[in-house]
Amino acid sequence: MTQTSPRSVIRGTGSAVPSTVVTNDDIAKIVDTSDEWITSRTGIRERRVLEKDQAASDLARRASERALEDAGLAVEELDAIIVGTCTADYQFPSLACVLEAKLGAKDVFSFDVNAACSGFLNALSVTDMFIRSGRIRNALVVGTDVLSRFLDWQDRSTCILFGDGAGAAVVSASDNGDRGILSARLQTDGSYAETLYIRAGGSKKPATLETVEKREHSIYMNGKEVFKVAVRSMEEISRRVLDEAGICVDDLSLVVPHQANRRIITALASRLGIPMEKVIVNVDRYGNTSAASIPVALDEVRRQGRIADGDIVLLNAFGAGFAWGAAVIRF
Ligand code: UT7
């Protein structure tokens, strides 16, 4: 009898966003912009900004508790907690360790992966490897970011784009059936490291009075370059995972792409030949929540009952690094 490796099944999802809403008109009071410009260039209408007394792990905790409840899994049953984030509570330890303690998980291993906007896909893909190898059975996979803390609220080209959020998925091993992650793939091109980054605060340029005065602790981005490479790369990697899974575009029930800009999403859908009715867009309500964008959108569509058993869903993301990825999942 041949032994096949287990498949990774998404058993439950949860999400959390801050209650404070910041509209385009609110931002237009701070920088020289308008609701018309932001909506037409990005599709964003409003975003959520985390309250001052909260941290990324607080959002992650709320999303995680909802995912565990949805999955009907006790926290004690978790073997691992893997978090995609680039805005952890501290430089170290990892947000995953902070979250583990907040959830009361015991006898687990927890770590962060930093792939910026592709954080959730990276965390999911790594989890899939642990599950397929037989090393773990149940994992909590989280994507959370609080980029509002790293925005220059005087830079109109970036401060309009981002919002805060957290999304989580309980991923479990399944030994039979054809459900689960069919294919997942990650890719990076580090030659673009300084196309989208935070200049100071790391080992290269630690915080000084000067770095603060020069506003080097907030996001710098060459938006046009990101846009161009994002569409091309997400198309390529999406086609590769679909090929590997033996799935054609018409078999897809839904696409849940990273939510950075509505124009990126529509360009990607058009290149892949996928009608927009099958493509999830919530960037209008949350802006770009980085690693949280895919799991938040996925949780919303699951709770709306838009994913039925057997449905095949494509996830794809792109962000700083550049780091990108895609996964095909049969629910
Ligand atoms: O998750 C991955 C990370 N990020 C992304 O995926 C973002 C990718 N990039 C983008 O979404 C777009 O490039 C942006 C939305 C960031 C910018 O849109 P764009 O169409 O590429 O605009 P642009 O940067 O070429 O700017 C066009 C004009 C400029 O004025 P001039 O030089 O033509 O006079 C900007 O100064 O728009 C101006 N501008 C603004 N005007 C009003 C830039 N930001 C604003 C603003 N309000 N907020």
Side-chain angles (χ1 to χ4, degrees):
M1 199 174 84
T2 51
Q3 183 148 9
T4 54
S5 52
R7 276 248 165 86
S8 310
V9 171
I10 294 188
R11 196 162 143 182
T13 55
S15 59
V17 292
S19 49
T20 305
V21 177
V22 175
T23 64
N24 292 346
D25 285 336
D26 293 332
I27 297 186
K29 291 181 191 133
I30 310 170
V31 290
D32 181 16
T33 190
S34 64
D35 176 47
E36 200 284 323
W37 194 96
I38 302 171
T39 310
S40 62
R41 298 287 180 123
T42 70
I44 300 167
R45 295 183 183 279
E46 58 188 42
R47 71 287 292 140
R48 303 297 179 99
V49 170
L50 190 62
E51 292 71 29
K52 289 254 170 346
D53 61 346
Q54 301 267 299
S57 64
D58 297 309
L59 276 180
R61 176 194 188 157
R62 278 160 49 202
S64 301
E65 286 173 345
R66 286 173 188 157
L68 286 163
E69 193 189 343
D70 184 41
L73 193 86
V75 70
E76 295 78 24
E77 294 174 80
L78 287 174
D79 303 311
I81 299 176
I82 304 181
V83 179
T85 187
C86 60
T87 55
D89 294 18
Y90 310 113
Q91 285 273 345
F92 64 84
S94 66
L95 189 153
C97 284
V98 176
L99 177 62
E100 170 190 323
K102 285 190 173 174
L103 292 173
K106 296 270 183 291
D107 198 19
V108 290
F109 65 88
S110 308
F111 62 89
D112 291 354
V113 293
N114 179 349
C117 296
S118 298
F120 180 76
L121 265 180
N122 276 250
L124 186 66
S125 181
V126 169
T127 301
D128 185 38
M129 293 299 153
F130 275 114
I131 287 179
R132 280 173 179 269
S133 74
R135 177 65 185 78
I136 63 171
R137 299 288 296 176
N138 297 306
L140 180 66
V141 183
V142 180
T144 183
D145 270 312
V146 180
L147 280 170
S148 66
R149 303 279 212 263
F150 300 89
L151 292 176
D152 179 349
W153 290 95
Q154 292 178 14
D155 175 10
R156 67 178 184 174
S157 69
T158 51
C159 75
I160 57 153
L161 296 171
F162 298 94
D164 304 332
V170 171
V171 182
S172 295
S174 162
D175 297 312
N176 43 48
D178 55 1
R179 293 172 59 217
I181 297 176
L182 306 181
S183 174
R185 194 166 261 282
L186 307 174
Q187 204 167 333
T188 48
D189 183 345
S191 66
Y192 288 100
E194 295 184 357
T195 307
L196 170 51
Y197 75 131
I198 295 178
R199 288 189 175 96
S203 61
K204 181 170 178 178
K205 212 180 217 195
T208 61
L209 212 49
E210 192 193 351
T211 60
V212 174
E213 277 165 6
K214 287 165 87 178
R215 315 182 79 80
E216 291 182 332
H217 293 274
S218 44
I219 294 176
Y220 163 83
M221 177 171 72
N222 176 343
K224 270 205 181 319
E225 192 66 15
V226 179
F227 194 114
K228 217 170 50 195
V229 186
V231 175
R232 194 175 63 223
S233 306
M234 282 198 285
E235 181 197 356
E236 275 168 20
I237 206 156
S238 298
R239 290 195 187 282
R240 282 185 82 174
V241 291
L242 288 171
D243 272 0
E244 278 166 5
I247 299 294
C248 59
V249 162
D250 292 344
D251 296 333
L252 291 173
S253 302
L254 282 181
V255 182
V256 183
H258 172 49
Q259 308 285 314
N261 182 326
R262 194 187 165 89
R263 284 160 52 218
I264 294 181
I265 298 172
T266 50
L268 177 66
S270 136
R271 278 171 173 244
L272 287 171
I274 299 172
M276 280 305 286
E277 303 85 75
K278 287 188 177 182
V279 181
I280 302 307
V281 179
N282 68 9
V283 72
D284 52 324
R285 286 178 289 129
Y286 303 129
N288 180 349
T289 58
S290 187
S293 87
I294 288 179
V296 167
L298 187 63
D299 183 50
E300 286 192 347
V301 287
R302 282 189 73 249
R303 283 171 197 265
Q304 288 159 5
R306 290 181 66 183
I307 300 182
D309 282 353
D311 277 359
I312 301 171
V313 177
L314 171 70
L315 314 180
N316 47 30
F318 185 91
F322 292 152
W324 62 100
V328 197
I329 304 170
R330 183 182 280 116
F331 278 82

